[in-house]
Amino acid sequence: MNRIGAWIVIAGLVVATAARAQSPALDGKAIAFDRGKGNCLSCHDIKGGELPGTIGPALSDIKARFPDRNELVGIVTDETRRNPQTMMPPFGRNLILNDQEISAVVDFLYTL
């Protein structure tokens, strides 16, 4: 491959990398409220949500309740590790949500 060809390949990689970096962030609220994904509203009362459940605690003042973000990620990923008797689905362990979706949901919860 000549120099021009190599530069074209490098330029293409730079453009592709920049496009991935600029992709829109996942919407944690949309995931949390989506009855087919997070479905947090089926158990929790969340500001802005319709028809909330009452099985789990109301989700408010989250940053104060969970100052360690990793703890909240762990709860959403698999609360059975912390509380084997929980009714909360293990969203990560059961592959209901992937790591990026869990992170987006936690980001949203931190706004509550």
Side-chain angles (χ1 to χ4, degrees), residues 1 4 6 11 19 26 32 37 42 46 49 55 63-64 71 92 97 99:
M1 180 181 302
I4 294 174
L26 293 175
K37 282 300 254 178
S42 66
I46 305 171
I55 295 170
K63 261 190 177 174
E71 180 182 5
L97 300 175
D99 291 343

Side-chain angles (χ1 to χ4, degrees), residues 31-88:
I31 295 167
F33 285 12
D34 184 337
R35 300 283 182 186
K37 282 300 254 178
N39 200 18
C40 302
L41 284 168
S42 66
C43 297
H44 300 279
D45 185 5
I46 305 171
K47 181 180 177 180
E50 295 180 16
L51 302 172
T54 58
I55 295 170
L59 298 180
S60 61
D61 203 24
I62 298 299
K63 261 190 177 174
R65 290 171 48 197
F66 300 99
D68 179 357
R69 188 177 195 286
N70 290 329
E71 180 182 5
L72 189 54
V73 167
I75 290 169
V76 176
T77 300
D78 186 1
E79 172 62 353
T80 64
R81 290 180 182 162
R82 193 174 81 141
N83 176 6
Q85 302 301 316
T86 188
M87 295 180 71
M88 185 163 165

